[in-house]
Amino acid sequence: MTALDLPPVPPDVLADLGRASTATLATQLYRRGIRQPFLVGLSPVGTHFDGFVGQARTMRFIPAREDVDPMDDPYRTGNVLQWEAVERLGSGDVLVVDSRDDVTAASAGDMLVTRAMKRGAAAFVTDGAFRDGAALAELGFPVYCRAITATTRPASFHVADLDVPIGCAGVAVYPGDILVGDRDGIIVVPRALAAEIAGPAAEQERLESYLHDRVRAGDALWGTYPPDEQTIASYRAWRSENSVDGTAGAARPSGAANGTEVVR
């Protein structure tokens, strides 16, 4: 098994989501009743990547117990789900680990993360810790965690299940949800809302880039942020005259402009 049995998310949807910041996506989800989808406390390991977008594959830990996870040879006890989780990964998958916010041992280390990268995964995420932090920082592969430790996983954890609903950093993650990461962290987009928010998120990025330029140029917040009708009219005129949208100076798909209000 290499992929979830779910209809694929259209590439243009993933592209628009991947271009949006986690803050923008949080705003779009908040408008739709999702109050807290951000994995608070998780940070990127290293600086050789900007972010990622991909679908969740999940791994759930429970505490290790001495009769099930003996110390003499922990890698030969039959609990091989950790390796199976990595070998199941396909292109664009994100392995998300429910480590119960526990950093007393690692969720994985350099070998497993490197293999995930070679399998085509988009990222490796845990609400616990990773080993080999210096090596992971040089991979150029999106890795996010709460801490770095040298302690091996079997010292604290037993892998209980794969591809089931989990909690990660206090947020529910269902297999197939879309995760988007940037330098600030990671947000969980329910799969059923991915297509709905992708276009509006792209439009919000364009609008806010324009508004940010206005504020940097000295405009007051009143009438600019949030924009009044005159500012919106100026934005639309600017956009009609510019094929490049002002977000980091790169052209993007237009997306669907479902409103231009700003919420922060």
Side-chain angles (χ1 to χ4, degrees), residues 86-107:
V86 173
E87 293 297 340
R88 285 185 182 190
L89 295 172
S91 177
D93 287 341
V94 180
L95 189 53
V96 188
V97 183
D98 174 5
S99 189
R100 303 163 43 254
D101 290 319
D102 187 342
V103 297
T104 57
S107 296

Side-chain angles (χ1 to χ4, degrees), residues 5-139:
D5 187 20
L6 295 167
V9 177
D12 60 326
V13 170
L14 294 176
D16 274 343
L17 292 175
R19 292 183 180 107
S21 70
T22 53
T24 289
L25 294 172
T27 296
Q28 292 296 328
L29 290 171
Y30 182 80
R31 292 173 182 167
R32 291 158 177 83
I34 307 295
R35 292 182 177 276
Q36 208 311 86
F38 189 76
L39 303 186
V40 176
L42 306 195
S43 299
V45 179
T47 59
H48 298 314
F49 63 89
D50 292 325
F52 71 89
V53 58
Q55 72 168 0
R57 307 295 300 266
T58 64
M59 180 162 59
R60 182 173 68 89
F61 286 176
I62 61 173
R65 200 175 74 184
E66 289 75 8
D67 62 326
V68 178
D69 305 286
M71 293 297 294
D72 57 343
D73 196 351
Y75 292 101
R76 292 198 170 122
T77 61
N79 184 220
V80 296
L81 287 180
Q82 188 178 29
W83 287 266
E84 184 176 339
V86 173
E87 293 297 340
R88 285 185 182 190
L89 295 172
S91 177
D93 287 341
V94 180
L95 189 53
V96 188
V97 183
D98 174 5
S99 189
R100 303 163 43 254
D101 290 319
D102 187 342
V103 297
T104 57
S107 296
D110 174 46
M111 290 291 190
L112 271 66
V113 174
T114 298
R115 178 58 179 160
M117 179 178 69
K118 291 299 183 180
R119 292 282 302 166
F124 205 130
V125 176
T126 181
D127 61 3
F130 282 121
R131 301 178 86 186
D132 310 316
L136 295 180
E138 295 302 316
L139 276 182

